[in-house]
Amino acid sequence: MKRIEIAGGGLAGLSLGIALRKRGVPVLVREAGSYPRHKVCGEFVNGVTFTTLKNLGIAGIFENALRHSRTRWWIGACEVLDAEMARPALGMSRWEMDELLRDLFLAEGGELQVGDRVAREARQGRVWTAGRRLEKESQWLGLKGHFEKVPLKGGLEMHIGDGGYVGLTPIAEDGGRVNVCGLFKRRSLRGENLTVSYLRACGLGKLAERLEDGVLDEASVTGVSGFHLGAQRVEEELCSLGDAERMIPPFTGNGMSMAFESAECALESLVSYAGGGDWDRCREEIRAALEKRFKRRVAFALGLHGFLMTGAGRAGLSLAARSGVLPFHWLQRQLS
Ligand SMILES: Cc1cc2nc3c(=O)[nH]c(=O)nc-3n(C[C@H](O)[C@H](O)[C@H](O)COP(=O)(O)OP(=O)(O)OC[C@H]3O[C@@H](n4cnc5c(N)ncnc54)[C@H](O)[C@@H]3O)c2cc1C
């Protein structure tokens, strides 16, 4: 069997590697960083099905994940929504998730090279799962940190402000540790706690005060900028999956699910290639499968994201939610 080389050992790369190993395919994952590591992420997986996780052979990893079945939304200081999730979201820190996936990949006989940054080049048998493409002109900044002593109000909290939104997710059973992760339009702000500065600038002062009363785990603080949402610029010859192929706006909590789903989309074509199939055909099949699965979902999410970024959009959402006409479950289905 031919070996598959995977560039990028994040969620798409490792889950694909595990699934291929379970089908007897030799796999090398080349990862630029190391494990465990904190990543900018809201740390809840929304939308992924048990069937997908089982198909990839990674369902066991989520046995002990938290199950979040409620979500509450605020626009500014005003609570606008308290709703049951259509399907519980899975809660786990990226520190834990990426490491568990790495361990499973190695246990399945996968080969892993860490500290190995791969040049962005297409090759037969190479799958590109190296995450979002660097875009210097980007307007976005993602920030994340773990806090203790920030009591939650129940369920997944989403706070939407002027030029950004932030999610609060419990990452321990007792709710003692909370992940705070936001996406903001970049501004020239400084401060010891940048998330707090951004919250104030977005008109989310009450939430900023709550965080200031808590204790920030400095080691967990991470930030990311220089990316575009939506389809990424991908060279014709490159076989890319996950964020490297397209990025859904983070408020959906669906990016990790898409990383797993994209691995699932690519699986059978890669197994056929490894068994002697044609590489160009394999690449084309994967590209078509991704387009079919994600095009509508990501376009819809981008539309809503744009809506949330305008004052009129937020006012409309607030009005619809408070008067009980917001089709929350329908929206959730479109976004996962
Ligand atoms: C602010 C923010 C909040 C988010 N919140 C959520 C959320 O709550 N729920 C959710 O589901 N999703 C969320 N996401 C999205 C989610 O984090 C991503 O969709 C997901 O991590 C994509 O997985 P991936 O495997 O494609 O990429 P990644 O997880 O980014 O993995 C890519 C890997 O490739 C490695 N790499 C990079 N370059 C190279 C190279 N040249 N050679 C080798 N290795 C390389 C990196 O080190 C990394 O390990 C959020 C994103 C942002 C920005």
Side-chain angles (χ1 to χ4, degrees), residues 77-191:
C78 181
E79 183 170 1
V80 297
L81 184 77
D82 180 354
E84 196 82 33
M85 311 276 287
R87 182 185 305 134
L90 301 170
M92 188 186 284
S93 75
R94 289 297 298 268
W95 180 271
E96 192 180 356
M97 193 190 298
D98 290 45
E99 193 178 30
L100 286 172
L101 287 168
R102 186 268 320 254
D103 291 349
L104 182 56
F105 174 66
L106 292 175
E108 292 293 340
E111 205 185 326
L112 174 69
Q113 283 172 198
V114 291
D116 182 6
R117 184 167 291 280
V118 185
R120 191 180 172 98
E121 274 170 25
R123 288 212 187 138
Q124 288 217 355
R126 175 182 282 174
V127 185
W128 191 260
T129 56
R132 48 200 162 245
R133 186 163 189 175
L134 183 66
E135 298 285 355
K136 289 199 176 119
E137 298 308 309
S138 156
Q139 60 174 332
W140 301 113
L141 173 70
L143 291 172
K144 165 267 187 56
H146 289 172
F147 284 77
E148 286 176 9
K149 302 200 169 103
V150 175
L152 287 172
K153 296 183 185 278
L156 297 171
E157 290 186 28
M158 170 69 89
H159 297 262
I160 304 164
D162 181 9
Y165 47 76
V166 174
L168 270 63
T169 315
I171 46 168
E173 199 68 69
D174 59 3
R177 199 168 164 86
V178 173
N179 180 45
V180 179
C181 181
L183 182 78
F184 304 100
K185 278 193 180 157
R186 278 167 67 173
R187 306 176 196 231
S188 39
L189 292 176
R190 294 196 190 285

Side-chain angles (χ1 to χ4, degrees), residues 6-13 30-35 37 39-46 94 98 116-120 128-132 141-143 169 181-183 224 227 229 241-244 247-248 250-259:
I6 299 176
L11 305 185
R30 301 175 64 186
E31 163 57 40
S34 61
Y35 307 89
R37 70 283 179 89
K39 288 210 71 144
V40 174
C41 187
E43 303 193 326
F44 66 94
V45 191
N46 182 33
R94 289 297 298 268
D98 290 45
D116 182 6
R117 184 167 291 280
V118 185
R120 191 180 172 98
W128 191 260
T129 56
R132 48 200 162 245
L141 173 70
L143 291 172
T169 315
C181 181
L183 182 78
V224 62
F227 57 91
L229 299 171
L241 303 176
D243 273 8
M247 254 188 103
I248 195 162
F251 77 92
T252 59
N254 191 243
M256 291 192 274
S257 178
M258 279 182 50

Side-chain angles (χ1 to χ4, degrees), residues 248-249 251-252 294-307 327-328 330-336:
I248 195 162
F251 77 92
T252 59
F294 299 130
K295 187 177 175 184
R296 206 173 143 266
R297 188 191 308 181
V298 173
F300 190 79
L302 283 169
L304 255 176
H305 175 89
F307 196 68
F328 181 70
W330 179 82
L331 284 173
Q332 265 212 315
R333 278 198 301 279
Q334 311 311 307
L335 297 171
S336 60

